[in-house]
Protein backbone atom coordinates (compact mmCIF):
# COMPACT_ATOMS: atom_id res chain seq x y z
CA UNK A 1 0.00 0.00 0.00
CA UNK A 2 2.83 2.43 0.82
CA UNK A 3 4.49 1.81 -2.53
CA UNK A 4 1.13 2.27 -4.25
CA UNK A 5 0.66 5.61 -2.49
CA UNK A 6 4.21 6.63 -3.43
CA UNK A 7 3.27 5.96 -7.05
CA UNK A 8 -0.04 7.86 -7.12
CA UNK A 9 0.70 10.82 -4.84
CA UNK A 10 3.10 12.58 -7.27
CA UNK A 11 0.62 12.01 -10.10
CA UNK A 12 -2.19 13.55 -8.07
CA UNK A 13 -0.16 16.57 -6.97
CA UNK A 14 1.09 17.36 -10.46
CA UNK A 15 -2.31 16.87 -12.08
CA UNK A 16 -3.88 19.20 -9.52
CA UNK A 17 -1.21 21.81 -10.31
CA UNK A 18 -1.87 21.40 -14.04
CA UNK A 19 -5.62 21.78 -13.40
CA UNK A 20 -5.03 25.01 -11.46
CA UNK A 21 -2.84 26.34 -14.29
CA UNK A 22 -5.46 25.52 -16.94
CA UNK A 23 -8.23 27.04 -14.83
CA UNK A 24 -6.26 30.26 -14.39
CA UNK A 25 -5.56 30.31 -18.13
CA UNK A 26 -9.26 29.76 -18.91
CA UNK A 27 -10.38 32.55 -16.58
CA UNK A 28 -7.77 34.93 -18.01
CA UNK A 29 -8.94 34.16 -21.55
CA UNK A 30 -12.45 35.33 -20.60
CA UNK A 31 -11.15 38.91 -20.30
CA UNK A 32 -9.31 38.99 -23.63
CA UNK A 33 -10.12 38.51 -27.27
CA UNK A 34 -9.36 35.01 -28.59
CA UNK A 35 -6.84 36.55 -31.01
CA UNK A 36 -4.83 37.72 -27.98
CA UNK A 37 -5.31 34.99 -25.38
CA UNK A 38 -7.11 31.95 -26.79
CA UNK A 39 -8.88 29.67 -24.34
CA UNK A 40 -7.31 26.29 -23.49
CA UNK A 41 -10.57 24.76 -24.74
CA UNK A 42 -9.90 26.28 -28.17
CA UNK A 43 -6.29 25.08 -28.09
CA UNK A 44 -7.31 21.52 -27.31
CA UNK A 45 -9.93 21.71 -30.06
CA UNK A 46 -7.24 22.69 -32.58
CA UNK A 47 -4.82 20.01 -31.36
CA UNK A 48 -5.19 17.78 -34.40
CA UNK A 49 -4.56 20.62 -36.81
CA UNK A 50 -1.31 21.73 -35.22
CA UNK A 51 0.05 18.35 -34.15
CA UNK A 52 1.30 17.31 -37.60
CA UNK A 53 4.52 15.70 -38.82
CA UNK A 54 6.33 19.03 -39.02
CA UNK A 55 5.49 19.85 -35.42
CA UNK A 56 6.51 16.41 -34.16
CA UNK A 57 9.85 16.67 -35.99
CA UNK A 58 10.54 20.06 -34.41
CA UNK A 59 9.44 18.76 -31.00
CA UNK A 60 11.91 15.88 -31.34
CA UNK A 61 14.72 18.28 -32.24
CA UNK A 62 13.97 20.47 -29.21
CA UNK A 63 13.76 17.42 -26.96
CA UNK A 64 17.16 16.22 -28.17
CA UNK A 65 18.77 19.61 -27.53
CA UNK A 66 17.24 19.92 -24.08
CA UNK A 67 18.16 16.38 -23.06
CA UNK A 68 21.77 16.54 -24.24
CA UNK A 69 22.40 20.00 -22.79
CA UNK A 70 20.72 19.20 -19.49
CA UNK A 71 22.63 15.93 -19.02
CA UNK A 72 25.94 17.74 -19.48
CA UNK A 73 24.81 20.58 -17.18
CA UNK A 74 23.67 18.32 -14.34
CA UNK A 75 26.90 16.29 -14.43
CA UNK A 76 29.06 19.43 -14.47
CA UNK A 77 26.94 21.22 -11.87
CA UNK A 78 26.98 18.29 -9.45
CA UNK A 79 30.73 17.76 -9.86
CA UNK A 80 31.50 21.47 -9.42
CA UNK A 81 29.30 21.75 -6.32
CA UNK A 82 30.70 18.55 -4.79
CA UNK A 83 34.31 19.51 -5.56
CA UNK A 84 33.82 23.02 -4.18
CA UNK A 85 32.56 21.60 -0.88
CA UNK A 86 35.33 19.02 -0.58
CA UNK A 87 38.01 21.62 -1.35
CA UNK A 88 36.30 24.13 0.98
CA UNK A 89 36.00 26.81 -1.70
CA UNK A 90 32.20 26.88 -1.85
CA UNK A 91 31.95 30.65 -1.30
CA UNK A 92 34.36 31.43 -4.13
CA UNK A 93 32.70 29.00 -6.52
CA UNK A 94 29.23 30.29 -5.62
CA UNK A 95 30.24 33.86 -6.47
CA UNK A 96 31.77 32.73 -9.77
CA UNK A 97 28.62 30.75 -10.65
CA UNK A 98 26.42 33.74 -9.82
CA UNK A 99 28.49 35.95 -12.13
CA UNK A 100 27.99 33.47 -14.96
CA UNK A 101 24.31 32.93 -14.24
CA UNK A 102 23.48 36.64 -14.18
CA UNK A 103 24.54 37.01 -17.82
CA UNK A 104 21.43 37.71 -19.95
CA UNK A 105 20.35 34.73 -22.02
CA UNK A 106 19.45 36.83 -25.06
CA UNK A 107 22.92 38.38 -25.20
CA UNK A 108 24.63 35.01 -24.74
CA UNK A 109 22.37 33.58 -27.44
CA UNK A 110 23.50 36.22 -29.90
CA UNK A 111 27.15 35.63 -28.98
CA UNK A 112 26.80 31.87 -29.49
CA UNK A 113 24.97 32.55 -32.76
CA UNK A 114 27.96 34.56 -34.01
CA UNK A 115 30.40 31.88 -32.82
CA UNK A 116 28.61 28.69 -33.89
CA UNK A 117 26.11 29.92 -36.47
CA UNK A 118 22.52 28.75 -36.87
CA UNK A 119 21.97 25.19 -35.68
CA UNK A 120 22.22 22.99 -32.62
CA UNK A 121 25.32 24.35 -30.92
CA UNK A 122 24.00 27.76 -29.85
CA UNK A 123 20.99 26.40 -27.87
CA UNK A 124 23.14 23.52 -26.56
CA UNK A 125 25.85 25.83 -25.23
CA UNK A 126 23.28 28.24 -23.86
CA UNK A 127 21.69 25.46 -21.79
CA UNK A 128 25.05 24.36 -20.40
CA UNK A 129 26.28 27.89 -19.66
CA UNK A 130 23.19 29.07 -17.79
CA UNK A 131 21.96 25.83 -16.17
CA UNK A 132 25.27 24.53 -14.80
CA UNK A 133 25.77 27.45 -12.34
CA UNK A 134 22.27 26.98 -10.90
CA UNK A 135 22.87 23.27 -10.29
CA UNK A 136 26.37 23.85 -8.89
CA UNK A 137 25.13 26.46 -6.40
CA UNK A 138 22.24 24.26 -5.33
CA UNK A 139 24.52 21.26 -4.86
CA UNK A 140 27.17 23.17 -2.95
CA UNK A 141 24.59 24.84 -0.67
CA UNK A 142 22.99 21.51 0.21
CA UNK A 143 26.36 20.17 1.38
CA UNK A 144 27.16 23.05 3.70
CA UNK A 145 25.48 21.24 6.59
CA UNK A 146 28.22 19.96 8.85
CA UNK A 147 28.89 16.22 8.86
CA UNK A 148 31.91 16.36 11.13
CA UNK A 149 30.96 13.51 13.44
CA UNK A 150 30.03 11.19 10.62
CA UNK A 151 33.28 11.99 8.81
CA UNK A 152 35.23 11.14 11.98
CA UNK A 153 33.29 7.90 12.30
CA UNK A 154 34.15 6.89 8.73
CA UNK A 155 37.79 7.83 9.26
CA UNK A 156 37.90 5.76 12.47
CA UNK A 157 37.17 2.72 10.30
CA UNK A 158 40.12 3.63 8.02
CA UNK A 159 37.90 5.34 5.51
CA UNK A 160 39.30 7.97 3.18
CA UNK A 161 37.77 10.61 0.92
CA UNK A 162 36.43 7.92 -1.40
CA UNK A 163 34.42 6.31 1.41
CA UNK A 164 33.30 9.69 2.77
CA UNK A 165 31.98 10.76 -0.62
CA UNK A 166 30.36 7.38 -1.31
CA UNK A 167 28.83 6.72 2.13
CA UNK A 168 28.13 10.25 3.37
CA UNK A 169 27.89 12.89 0.70
CA UNK A 170 26.29 10.94 -2.14
CA UNK A 171 23.34 9.73 0.02
CA UNK A 172 22.87 13.25 1.35
CA UNK A 173 22.81 14.50 -2.25
CA UNK A 174 19.76 12.44 -3.22
CA UNK A 175 17.18 15.17 -2.31
CA UNK A 176 19.34 17.74 -4.07
CA UNK A 177 19.65 15.59 -7.18
CA UNK A 178 15.88 15.19 -7.28
CA UNK A 179 15.46 18.95 -7.03
CA UNK A 180 18.14 19.52 -9.66
CA UNK A 181 16.44 17.08 -12.02
CA UNK A 182 13.19 19.04 -11.84
CA UNK A 183 14.20 22.70 -11.50
CA UNK A 184 17.22 22.18 -13.76
CA UNK A 185 15.09 20.63 -16.48
CA UNK A 186 12.54 23.45 -16.34
CA UNK A 187 15.37 25.95 -16.54
CA UNK A 188 16.86 24.06 -19.49
CA UNK A 189 13.53 24.07 -21.33
CA UNK A 190 13.20 27.85 -20.98
CA UNK A 191 16.78 28.43 -22.10
CA UNK A 192 16.45 26.03 -25.04
CA UNK A 193 13.40 27.92 -26.29
CA UNK A 194 15.33 31.19 -26.04
CA UNK A 195 18.27 29.67 -27.92
CA UNK A 196 16.03 28.31 -30.67
CA UNK A 197 14.15 31.60 -30.83
CA UNK A 198 17.40 33.44 -31.48
CA UNK A 199 19.75 31.03 -33.21
CA UNK A 200 17.90 28.13 -34.86
CA UNK A 201 15.88 27.39 -37.96
CA UNK A 202 13.98 24.52 -36.34
CA UNK A 203 12.64 23.44 -32.95
CA UNK A 204 9.74 24.69 -30.84
CA UNK A 205 11.46 28.00 -30.14
CA UNK A 206 11.77 28.59 -33.88
CA UNK A 207 8.08 27.77 -34.39
CA UNK A 208 7.20 30.22 -31.61
CA UNK A 209 9.24 32.90 -33.35
CA UNK A 210 7.51 32.31 -36.69
CA UNK A 211 4.05 32.26 -35.09
CA UNK A 212 4.83 35.47 -33.22
CA UNK A 213 5.80 37.21 -36.46
CA UNK A 214 2.39 36.41 -37.98
CA UNK A 215 0.54 37.01 -34.68
CA UNK A 216 -0.81 33.45 -34.77
CA UNK A 217 -1.55 33.38 -31.06
CA UNK A 218 -3.43 30.09 -31.25
CA UNK A 219 -0.23 28.43 -32.50
CA UNK A 220 1.85 30.24 -29.87
CA UNK A 221 -0.35 29.03 -27.03
CA UNK A 222 -0.56 25.55 -28.52
CA UNK A 223 3.26 25.23 -28.46
CA UNK A 224 3.35 26.59 -24.91
CA UNK A 225 0.63 24.17 -23.84
CA UNK A 226 2.59 21.22 -25.23
CA UNK A 227 5.75 22.39 -23.42
CA UNK A 228 3.86 22.72 -20.12
CA UNK A 229 2.26 19.29 -20.55
CA UNK A 230 5.61 17.62 -21.30
CA UNK A 231 7.19 19.26 -18.24
CA UNK A 232 4.34 18.06 -16.00
CA UNK A 233 4.74 14.49 -17.31
CA UNK A 234 8.48 14.72 -16.65
CA UNK A 235 7.84 15.97 -13.10
CA UNK A 236 5.52 13.05 -12.45
CA UNK A 237 8.13 10.56 -13.68
CA UNK A 238 10.95 12.04 -11.56
CA UNK A 239 8.89 12.28 -8.37
CA UNK A 240 7.53 8.77 -8.85
CA UNK A 241 10.97 7.23 -9.38
CA UNK A 242 12.45 8.95 -6.34
CA UNK A 243 9.39 8.19 -4.24
CA UNK A 244 9.64 4.49 -5.05
CA UNK A 245 13.41 3.93 -5.12
CA UNK A 246 14.99 6.61 -2.92
CA UNK A 247 12.32 7.43 -0.36
CA UNK A 248 14.59 6.72 2.63
CA UNK A 249 17.07 9.38 1.44
CA UNK A 250 14.44 12.12 1.08
CA UNK A 251 14.15 12.71 4.82
CA UNK A 252 17.67 13.70 5.95
CA UNK A 253 16.82 13.86 9.65
Amino acid sequence: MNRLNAFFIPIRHNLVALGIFLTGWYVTALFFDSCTVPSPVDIIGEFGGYCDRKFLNNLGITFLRITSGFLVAIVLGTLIGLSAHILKISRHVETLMLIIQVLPGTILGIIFLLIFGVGNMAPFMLIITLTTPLLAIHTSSSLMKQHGRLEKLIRSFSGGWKEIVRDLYLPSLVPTIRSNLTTGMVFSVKIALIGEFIASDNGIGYLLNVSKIYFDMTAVFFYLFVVVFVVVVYQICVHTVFGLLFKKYLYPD
Side-chain angles (χ1 to χ4, degrees):
M1 182 62 69
N2 289 334
R3 294 182 68 86
L4 193 62
N5 289 334
F7 177 79
F8 283 108
I9 287 176
I11 297 177
R12 185 182 66 209
H13 289 169
N14 285 277
L15 290 181
V16 168
L18 179 61
I20 294 173
F21 171 79
L22 293 177
T23 301
W25 178 5
Y26 179 81
V27 172
T28 302
L30 296 176
F31 298 93
F32 295 91
D33 188 87
S34 60
C35 295
T36 305
V37 182
S39 167
V41 177
D42 298 333
I43 299 299
I44 295 174
E46 295 290 336
F47 191 88
Y50 286 104
C51 189
D52 53 12
R53 184 181 297 273
K54 177 183 177 182
F55 167 74
L56 293 176
N57 289 336
N58 282 280
L59 180 63
I61 292 170
T62 298
F63 178 77
L64 180 61
R65 288 168 177 160
I66 293 172
T67 303
S68 57
F70 174 65
L71 288 176
V72 174
I74 195 167
V75 171
L76 286 177
T78 302
L79 290 177
I80 291 173
L82 186 60
S83 300
H85 179 76
I86 293 174
L87 298 175
K88 302 186 185 304
I89 55 172
S90 297
R91 298 300 184 187
H92 302 83
V93 171
E94 181 177 343
T95 301
L96 176 60
M97 294 296 101
L98 286 173
I99 291 173
I100 297 173
Q101 192 178 24
V102 79
L103 298 175
T106 51
I107 295 177
L108 281 178
I110 294 172
I111 293 173
F112 289 141
L113 172 63
L114 295 175
I115 295 175
F116 300 108
V118 175
N120 293 318
M121 285 303 297
F124 177 75
M125 292 302 300
L126 198 60
I127 292 171
I128 295 174
T129 303
L130 294 181
T131 305
T132 299
L134 173 69
L135 303 180
I137 292 171
H138 194 188
T139 302
S140 178
S141 298
S142 69
L143 291 172
M144 293 183 69
K145 181 179 178 180
Q146 296 297 321
H147 297 288
R149 292 183 178 179
L150 294 176
E151 284 191 21
K152 291 179 181 178
L153 178 63
I154 294 174
R155 292 184 184 279
S156 68
F157 287 95
S158 302
W161 277 113
K162 181 179 178 180
E163 287 74 22
I164 291 174
V165 171
R166 183 190 63 197
D167 300 327
L168 178 58
Y169 289 116
L170 289 183
S172 67
L173 275 175
V174 170
T176 302
I177 292 174
R178 183 186 66 168
S179 179
N180 283 348
L181 285 172
T182 54
T183 58
M185 175 58 77
V186 172
F187 209 67
S188 297
V189 170
K190 294 173 61 177
I191 295 170
L193 294 180
I194 293 174
E196 291 177 342
F197 195 92
I198 297 172
S200 293
D201 56 0
N202 50 29
I204 300 301
Y206 168 76
L207 294 180
L208 282 168
N209 191 15
V210 173
S211 300
K212 177 265 300 180
I213 293 173
Y214 294 101
F215 292 98
D216 186 357
M217 298 308 296
T218 302
V220 169
F221 277 87
F222 168 76
Y223 301 139
L224 293 177
F225 172 76
V226 171
V227 170
V228 169
F229 182 77
V230 171
V231 168
V232 170
V233 173
Y234 173 81
Q235 290 267 71
I236 291 174
C237 293
V238 171
H239 289 164
T240 300
V241 169
F242 275 79
L244 291 174
L245 302 180
F246 304 102
K247 184 177 180 180
K248 65 180 180 179
Y249 296 114
L250 301 179
Y251 305 97
D253 292 337

